[in-house]
């Protein structure tokens, strides 16, 4: 989605931020990092292109991170996964915070290192 000149209103920006921040629930609830953004996105996406775009972006990032974590968990067999899993954790938290701040500022944010599963 291309960036538009019109900045979304405050409530829209907050819901877009919540879509990103809800992924942190995955640290408390199994698969919460995917379920919570799906719930918020599916409820709020209708009629709002900013929340729709940020919801898709969050979901793509969370699914990608899950895939990367599974691969690194398998790679713990050859030790390298033990070193890279903590790095993935830091990357995950960092990008969620950056995306949340950008969404709250009304900017369209695209996560790096993300596979586009939902378009």
């Amino acid at each position: 989605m291309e960036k538009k000149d019109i900045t979304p209103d405050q409530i829209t920006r907050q819901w877009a931020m919540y879509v990103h921040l809800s992924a942190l629930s995955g640290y408390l609830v199994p698969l919460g990092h995917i379920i919570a953004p799906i719930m918020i996105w599916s409820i709020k996406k209708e009629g709002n292109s900013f929340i729709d775009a940020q919801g898709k972006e969050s979901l793509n990032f969370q699914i990608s991170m899950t895939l990367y974590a599974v691969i690194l968990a398998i790679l713990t067999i050859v030790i390298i996964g033990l070193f890279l899993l903590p790095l993935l954790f830091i990357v995950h938290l960092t990008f969620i915070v950056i995306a949340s701040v950008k969404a709250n500022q009304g900017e369209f944010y695209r996560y790096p290192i993300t596979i586009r599963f939902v378009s």
Side-chain angles (χ1 to χ4, degrees):
M1 173 173 237
E2 64 184 66
K3 187 173 179 178
K4 298 184 180 187
D5 292 333
I6 300 172
T7 303
D9 64 25
Q10 181 181 4
I11 293 172
T12 299
R13 293 190 321 258
Q14 285 177 341
W15 277 109
M17 178 185 68
Y18 297 151
V19 169
H20 294 291
L21 286 176
S22 67
L24 296 175
S25 66
Y27 292 107
L28 300 173
V29 177
L31 295 179
H33 66 292
I34 295 174
I35 295 169
I38 283 176
M39 289 173 51
I40 294 173
W41 173 61
S42 64
I43 292 169
K44 292 293 188 177
K45 70 179 179 179
E46 293 303 317
N48 195 310
S49 61
F50 185 68
I51 294 174
D52 185 36
Q54 292 303 290
K56 289 176 186 176
E57 201 56 36
S58 179
L59 284 174
N60 285 326
F61 181 67
Q62 298 311 319
I63 294 168
S64 296
M65 288 292 108
T66 301
L67 179 63
Y68 302 149
V70 168
I71 292 168
L72 289 178
I74 292 169
L75 288 176
T76 59
I77 295 169
V78 292
I79 310 294
I80 193 164
L82 292 174
F83 298 105
L84 294 179
L85 271 172
L87 181 62
L88 186 67
F89 168 76
I90 293 167
V91 166
H92 185 244
L93 285 177
T94 302
F95 285 142
I96 288 174
V97 169
I98 291 169
S100 300
V101 170
K102 295 288 187 182
N104 196 34
Q105 293 172 346
E107 296 178 36
F108 286 88
Y109 182 75
R110 287 190 65 112
Y111 288 96
I113 66 169
T114 300
I115 302 167
R116 308 287 169 209
F117 294 102
V118 180
S119 59

